[in-house]
Amino acid sequence: MALSSSSPIRHHASHRTAAAAIAAATLRERHASSLINIPATLSSLLHLHHERKPDDHSVGFPPPAIGRNTPTVSPKEDIFSLFPEIHGHADWSPLLNPLHPWLRREIIKYGEFAQATYDAFDFNPLSEFCGSCLYGRHRLLDKLGLARNGYRVSKYVYAMSHVKLPRWLERSLHADAWSTESNWMGYVAVSDDAESRRIGCRDIVVAWRGTIAPTEWFKDVQGKLEPLGDARADVMVEHGFLGVYTSKSDRTRYNKTSASEQVMEEIERLVSHYRQRGEEVSLTITGHSLGGALALLNAHEAASTIPDLPISVISFGGPRVGNVAFGEKLKEMNVKVLRVVVKQDMVPKVPGILFNEGLKRFEHVTGTLESVYTHVGLELGLDVSSSPYLKHGLDVAGFHKLETYLHLVDGFLSSDKEFRRNARRDVALVNKTSGMLRDELHIPPRWAQAANKGMVRNAYGRWVKPAREPEDIPSPYREEAQL
Amino acid sequence: MALSSSSPIRHHASHRTAAAAIAAATLRERHASSLINIPATLSSLLHLHHERKPDDHSVGFPPPAIGRNTPTVSPKEDIFSLFPEIHGHADWSPLLNPLHPWLRREIIKYGEFAQATYDAFDFNPLSEFCGSCLYGRHRLLDKLGLARNGYRVSKYVYAMSHVKLPRWLERSLHADAWSTESNWMGYVAVSDDAESRRIGCRDIVVAWRGTIAPTEWFKDVQGKLEPLGDARADVMVEHGFLGVYTSKSDRTRYNKTSASEQVMEEIERLVSHYRQRGEEVSLTITGHSLGGALALLNAHEAASTIPDLPISVISFGGPRVGNVAFGEKLKEMNVKVLRVVVKQDMVPKVPGILFNEGLKRFEHVTGTLESVYTHVGLELGLDVSSSPYLKHGLDVAGFHKLETYLHLVDGFLSSDKEFRRNARRDVALVNKTSGMLRDELHIPPRWAQAANKGMVRNAYGRWVKPAREPEDIPSPYREEAQL
């Protein structure tokens, strides 16, 4: 299809309109939060020293119907007028503190694209497809309930590396595993016509999978810098991250080309395809943890290859990736970076600090590493203690979980305000793979699990592991994208 | 309904017919086992020192289709001619070694009734129904795939006790739990007309739930004897087991009457109901672990109350329950007891030995306890090392699991023979709650788990704990049985 010439994708709103829109929306939100009164159980949680009377049943209950059943999908407003602000090409800061509701929703949208790389990843070492995506790309978003975001997955990306890193590579114990070298590392998606009109641009998204074991970061990220092969010779990045992004081997089925080559080929293909149709195209790269590091490497390469492409990175709990020169180069190339960081999370502090498991506290090493590795872009700082739903004890793994991040983004109003009282994102998601939710909510910790670990009863009543549906079986050939 | 006057339930086959039937069936079985050739992967497991060639994929695979898809339901032969032998009222021993196929199937049938008390038990402390049965009695057997056995559940039994015992009482963390004092402890079921004809009797079954933490047995079973209140004053039993069987309290909802009173009322009701119709009625009591102990106490009480009722107990991994006089009394009252015992399982050795967790070995205490507590009836001895499917390392929990027992019964031919080559019971069931299966089978350990711990997405996409269906919600009033 070709968008009508009156398509808002062509011309962006003036700054005056933008300012007005910000004011209006912020007002609406303040209004809403004063109107909505949240359920008794949850409000009781808002007072953390709430004394529970023995005969007080309200706390024991799960949140009542009103709290459990309200929709979790935010209203889809047309936000094209704010495209430059929301994607950071105009200055991001006026939308960050207080956080503009439209930007909050977009951050969560991209965060959920990153979360999809965990939710759809086959972690089961007894599966012959361990390390692959559980679903074919055509139904990935649908299976995860993300179809409503209005994007279509056009390609899967695979990565390999022999560099020791926080456990990111899952290996199958199966004799005939689909691949023992490579893992599914993420995907490329593109906004459909409706979503493109709504946000004001044909949006290409790259979502990178990360890793979920923060403590390993401090053992395994060696902080060894390596030249990126940039025009600027002094641009250096952490060699482990670069290894995942660039490794390839002819002996493998999925990495005869590197993750870098796979993703860039697809980005270039999509950009030229939509530009030929006269559309404005943007690239938004997202990822959590290691995925945040890969997002920056990917952004640097994309900016070098397609200089005039608007590129923004929205990362969650990402580590430092490169030296000062790397940061400068990204800025030169006009790559916009928004780093969402939970201040209790350790991963964004590496490389640069050591974590002493025994003492359970941080120890700064002689500043050298710290000064070498630098963060880039703007930071959206979140605080676990701001949420009345979360436990506030030390939970190294829980602090780093992407769902913890998304919950805190959903509740963030501004650095000086308390948790947003009318936050509507499903709180239960926090406990999907952690135990961060307060016990009073009665949401099981780490509840995400397959029924009977995937075993099913066949027609004879015998328990068997079902074969994967053909469309969900990974294939190095089927990865060629069609539009 | 009334059975036709020609019903086999009235008159049992003579011993000559019986002997003939035994011979014939044993011959059929030997014939079968020589005909059936089992899949390559499994036969390879039969040689425990099987060397795996690097290019040999067969071992890596899950069992091929033929092994995975064959029916797990044994043929239902009419066995009424052997009723007295199979229920032990004639001598059991000629059917035990070698184990008669008809008796093997009946042992497994009753064992699966006992297993149902675990499979349908709500262990989730976050559930307000923790400690209850997940399903209403009308669909319990159907939900567990046991409807094919041809029994109908007529009553649920609940128990309480303040005596410290191996963790058998699950408590809900919920403020308004269905009951904080009582647990679902088992059920009473009765054979339908077809099954009654097949086995030669209207069979009342009582299945008692046990406990699944063997190591606790050695801390918590104190081995304190207590008079049973039998006509014979010297009859004594372990006071903890008796506590579970007889405790009641007016302050509770489910134990205003004791488990003993609940189960006996139902047994007497059923016996008189079917005897009034001129049918022969039998009582078969089964249970695993603590459930095996309760089965004996139940059998003693039933025999004292209904002297002329044929009563047999088939217990799995049951502990010693009472003193010598208790055993003598059961024999006097003609209660037939078949104790299925895995020789590596520790629980049948208590009270009477101590288990040293640190040294991981048994230590006989100065024989006193041993000599006081005695086992009753016949023993069917099983050996973990007889099965080529099982790991043979020390697994204190795994040795005690009822599914391990049922697997070994299914493979048992005779004490001097190797595992039955044509055993057809689903091997995967062994790993339902243990990790006893050899890794080559690629069956996940402890695979029994609810999808997302029972969380489901509602219409709005929000994750919630669904309310139980009304017919599955326990009620102290609805337990009144109707026929």
Side-chain angles (χ1 to χ4, degrees), chain A residues 52 56-57 60-62 67-73 126 144-145 148 173-176 424-429 442-453 455 457-458 460-467, chain B residues 52 57 60-62 67-73 126 143-145 148 173-176 424-429 442-453 455 457-458 460-467:
Chain A
R52 179 174 160 194
D56 169 9
H57 277 197
F61 280 105
R68 286 165 60 177
N69 299 328
T70 42
T72 59
V73 184
L126 289 181
L144 299 179
R148 53 173 160 81
L173 296 175
H174 236 281
D176 73 327
R424 282 185 305 179
R425 190 166 187 273
D426 188 357
V427 171
L429 292 170
H442 288 286
I443 306 293
R446 284 161 285 277
W447 54 259
Q449 60 182 31
N452 297 320
K453 298 190 176 177
M455 303 279 285
R457 294 188 92 178
N458 70 8
Y460 300 107
R462 191 174 282 264
W463 288 93
V464 297
K465 270 184 293 173
Chain B
R52 181 174 159 193
H57 276 200
F61 281 106
R68 285 166 60 176
N69 300 328
T70 42
T72 58
V73 185
L126 291 180
K143 283 280 185 182
L144 299 180
R148 54 173 159 80
L173 297 174
H174 237 281
D176 74 325
R424 281 185 304 179
R425 190 167 186 274
D426 189 356
V427 170
L429 293 169
H442 287 287
I443 307 293
R446 284 160 287 277
W447 54 259
Q449 59 182 32
N452 298 319
K453 298 190 176 178
M455 303 279 285
R457 294 189 91 179
N458 71 8
Y460 300 108
R462 190 175 283 264
W463 288 93
V464 297
K465 270 183 293 173

Side-chain angles (χ1 to χ4, degrees), chain B residues 109-326:
Chain B
K109 179 181 85 178
Y110 292 114
E112 288 178 338
F113 282 139
Q115 179 64 39
T117 63
Y118 294 127
D119 293 343
F121 189 73
D122 186 344
F123 286 99
N124 176 9
L126 291 180
S127 157
E128 58 266 56
F129 301 113
C130 177
S132 75
C133 179
L134 290 167
Y135 313 112
R137 67 179 171 86
H138 294 292
R139 53 186 200 166
L140 170 69
L141 298 180
D142 195 39
K143 283 280 185 182
L144 299 180
L146 297 177
R148 54 173 159 80
N149 284 351
Y151 284 68
R152 184 176 49 72
V153 175
S154 73
K155 188 176 191 175
Y156 277 176
V157 178
Y158 296 85
M160 66 176 285
S161 171
H162 297 305
V163 182
K164 192 167 185 246
L165 265 191
R167 199 166 56 80
W168 69 279
L169 184 79
E170 295 289 338
R171 281 208 171 83
S172 174
L173 297 174
H174 237 281
D176 74 325
W178 68 291
S179 163
T180 52
E181 300 273 358
S182 304
N183 268 193
W184 180 59
M185 206 58 200
Y187 60 91
V188 182
V190 60
S191 56
D192 63 22
D193 299 350
E195 178 70 359
S196 303
R197 281 203 198 78
R198 189 185 74 86
I199 63 179
C201 198
R202 181 70 65 175
D203 185 35
I204 300 168
V205 167
V206 180
W208 291 97
R209 186 174 63 86
T211 164
I212 355 92
T215 51
E216 294 176 340
W217 279 80
F218 299 84
K219 294 195 312 290
D220 299 344
V221 176
Q222 301 156 43
K224 201 178 94 200
L225 282 169
E226 179 177 331
L228 183 48
D230 182 85
R232 254 179 79 167
D234 61 340
V235 172
M236 316 246 282
V237 295
E238 208 284 322
H239 87 302
F241 304 154
L242 190 59
V244 175
Y245 188 61
T246 58
S247 297
K248 58 178 171 177
S249 159
D250 284 334
R251 293 176 300 91
T252 66
R253 295 177 63 210
Y254 288 81
N255 280 110
K256 297 191 190 307
T257 59
S258 66
S260 151
E261 291 164 335
Q262 293 170 31
V263 75
M264 284 311 300
E265 178 195 32
E266 181 65 2
I267 290 171
E268 292 183 75
R269 192 181 66 81
L270 291 171
V271 169
S272 63
H273 173 86
Y274 288 107
R275 280 186 169 174
Q276 275 163 26
R277 294 159 37 157
E279 297 184 23
E280 283 204 33
V281 183
S282 67
L283 174 63
T284 313
I285 311 176
T286 185
H288 165 253
S289 192
L290 170 62
L294 298 173
L296 283 181
L297 295 175
N298 187 182
H300 173 280
E301 186 175 20
S304 317
T305 318
I306 318 174
D308 57 344
L309 180 68
I311 302 174
S312 48
V313 171
I314 299 184
S315 75
F316 302 83
R320 295 187 180 87
V321 175
N323 60 3
V324 181
F326 177 66

Side-chain angles (χ1 to χ4, degrees), chain A residues 54 87 90 140 172 189 292 317 399:
Chain A
H87 280 248
L140 170 69
S172 173
F399 293 157

